[in-house]
């Protein structure tokens, strides 16, 4: 398999099995050593089909100097025999290295690269490529795949993502360039769509942004316990579509999605 760019994990990952996901941002995992640990789940979405107790999971340790309470971060999970990246922060690191290596056509010519730049109203863009024309680049992580072989974003309502699209539309109208780059942390997706089923407002905003001149691109990533390998670029499909089959596919994944109440946080009134 050809690799455009390899980004190794900053620390060796530890393997185990998922016990459960609690309160959205906590995952309990039993490591291969037998130790049960709690890891930070960076992903705010429902993670459809990926919260299956007993599934293989990998975590990274937090640096010793960190004061963070949860000493691990959930990085990868196995879904239907395929390793999927679930850390939604990791793609920004990958894209930063992609840009620095100048391997993506259309994103090679810039004088300087700036991160987390404030712009528009209540917005920060992931990357600003400083050149003859400013180029705003927003990164969106995707890991949801349905039976049609396509990826879908988001996997739950995301007012924040919709706001980003509208802000990018404004900067394009003012004469700048703007790109939304979907990073798909699995290699088995042939194209990606805005999810009308999960967030019709985002899907409509994406179509409007595309018509206004915002560019949409996507790359697939092979996630392994050693690295995140950028494999190839795939199409982004903004056109509307029927969602009858998608609702059925979602229902099939529903038992292995979301999170539940943390049993350690039962209040006295609840017993």
């Amino acid at each position: 398999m050809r690799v455009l760019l390899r980004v190794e994990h900053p620390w060796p990952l530890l393997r185990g099995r998922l016990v459960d996901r609690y309160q959205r941002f906590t995952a309990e995992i039993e490591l291969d050593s037998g130790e049960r640990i709690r890891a930070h789940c960076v992903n705010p979405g429902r993670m459809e089909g990926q919260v299956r107790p007993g599934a293989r999971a990998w975590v990274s340790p937090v640096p010793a100097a960190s004061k963070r309470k949860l000493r691990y971060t959930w990085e990868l999970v196995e879904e239907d025999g395929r390793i999927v990246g679930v850390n939604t922060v990791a793609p920004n690191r990958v894209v930063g290295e992609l840009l620095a290596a100048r391997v993506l056509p259309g994103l090679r010519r810039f004088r300087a690269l700036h991160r987390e730049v404030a712009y528009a109203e209540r917005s920060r863009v992931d990357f600003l490529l400083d050149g003859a024309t400013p180029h705003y680049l927003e990164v969106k992580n995707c890991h949801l795949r349905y039976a049609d072989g396509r990826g879908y974003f988001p996997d739950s309502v995301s007012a924040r993502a919709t706001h980003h699209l509208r802000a990018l539309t404004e900067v394009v109208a003012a004469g700048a360039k703007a790109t939304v780059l979907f990073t798909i942390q699995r290699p088995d997706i042939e194209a990606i769509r805005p999810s009308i089923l999960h967030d019709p407002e985002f899907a409509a905003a994406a179509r409007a942004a595309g018509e206004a001149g915002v560019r949409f691109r996507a790359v697939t990533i092979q996630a392994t316990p050693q690295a995140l390998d950028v494999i190839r670029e795939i199409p982004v499909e903004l056109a509307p579509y029927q969602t009858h089959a998608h609702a059925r596919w979602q229902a099939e994944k529903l038992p292995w999605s979301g999170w539940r109440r943390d049993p350690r946080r039962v209040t006295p009134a609840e017993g």
Side-chain angles (χ1 to χ4, degrees):
M1 183 182 294
R2 181 171 175 264
V3 175
L4 290 176
L5 184 77
R6 165 164 286 200
V7 180
E8 295 184 353
H9 298 295
W11 300 278
L13 303 190
L14 302 175
R15 191 179 70 172
R17 292 192 180 275
L18 179 66
V19 176
D20 215 332
R21 181 188 183 195
Y22 305 119
Q23 311 293 126
R24 185 181 297 214
F25 296 113
T26 302
E28 185 171 3
I29 292 168
E30 183 172 320
L31 300 178
D32 285 356
S33 65
E35 179 187 5
R36 280 203 178 191
I37 58 98
R38 291 206 162 195
H40 178 43
C41 177
V42 182
N43 195 322
R46 294 195 58 79
M47 298 176 62
E48 278 188 32
Q50 293 158 357
V51 190
R52 184 186 291 266
R56 281 287 184 195
W58 287 260
V59 298
S60 62
V62 172
S66 172
K67 296 182 179 180
R68 206 179 78 181
K69 182 178 179 181
L70 293 175
R71 306 304 298 170
Y72 300 88
T73 301
W74 189 9
E75 301 285 351
L76 313 173
V77 72
E78 192 172 70
E79 179 189 1
D80 298 328
R82 176 84 64 181
I83 296 178
V84 180
V86 296
N87 183 338
T88 54
V89 172
N92 280 52
R93 180 165 54 89
V94 172
V95 172
E97 297 206 22
L98 266 178
L99 294 172
R102 301 177 190 258
V103 296
L104 286 181
L107 295 173
R108 293 171 176 165
R109 302 180 67 178
F110 54 88
R111 290 191 297 265
L113 180 64
H114 308 284
R115 299 171 185 257
E116 292 292 327
V117 177
Y119 78 111
E121 182 182 356
R122 298 180 293 106
S123 293
R124 300 182 74 86
V125 72
D126 291 317
F127 297 94
L128 176 59
L129 285 61
D130 188 8
T133 302
H135 193 156
Y136 294 78
L137 178 67
E138 185 69 29
V139 179
K140 297 298 180 191
N141 175 75
C142 172
H143 47 68
L144 173 61
R145 179 187 187 274
Y146 279 149
D148 60 353
R150 293 180 174 90
Y152 290 86
F153 176 91
D155 68 352
S156 57
V157 173
S158 179
R160 182 170 177 266
T162 301
H163 175 74
H164 287 160
L165 292 182
R166 290 171 177 158
L168 292 176
T169 302
E170 290 177 9
V171 300
V172 167
K177 296 179 181 178
T179 296
V180 176
L181 179 60
F182 292 104
T183 53
I184 303 160
Q185 293 196 68
R186 54 191 305 161
D188 56 343
I189 287 177
E190 299 303 318
I192 182 171
R193 288 172 164 175
S195 181
I196 298 173
L197 179 66
H198 297 88
D199 193 341
E201 188 173 356
F202 174 85
R207 289 193 297 274
E211 292 168 359
V214 177
R215 301 169 187 175
F216 287 80
R217 301 176 67 173
V219 293
T220 58
I221 294 173
Q222 172 72 67
T224 72
Q226 292 75 40
L228 298 175
D229 292 335
V230 181
I231 304 299
R232 62 192 174 109
E233 191 162 358
I234 63 170
V236 179
E237 301 174 349
L238 299 180
Y241 53 89
Q242 296 297 318
T243 61
H244 304 301
H246 301 76
R248 184 177 70 253
W249 296 332
Q250 181 189 45
E252 292 170 355
K253 290 178 178 284
L254 194 60
W256 320 118
S257 309
W259 56 88
R260 69 185 184 90
R261 178 172 294 185
D262 187 344
R264 293 187 186 179
R265 295 189 177 185
V266 175
T267 65
E270 294 172 318

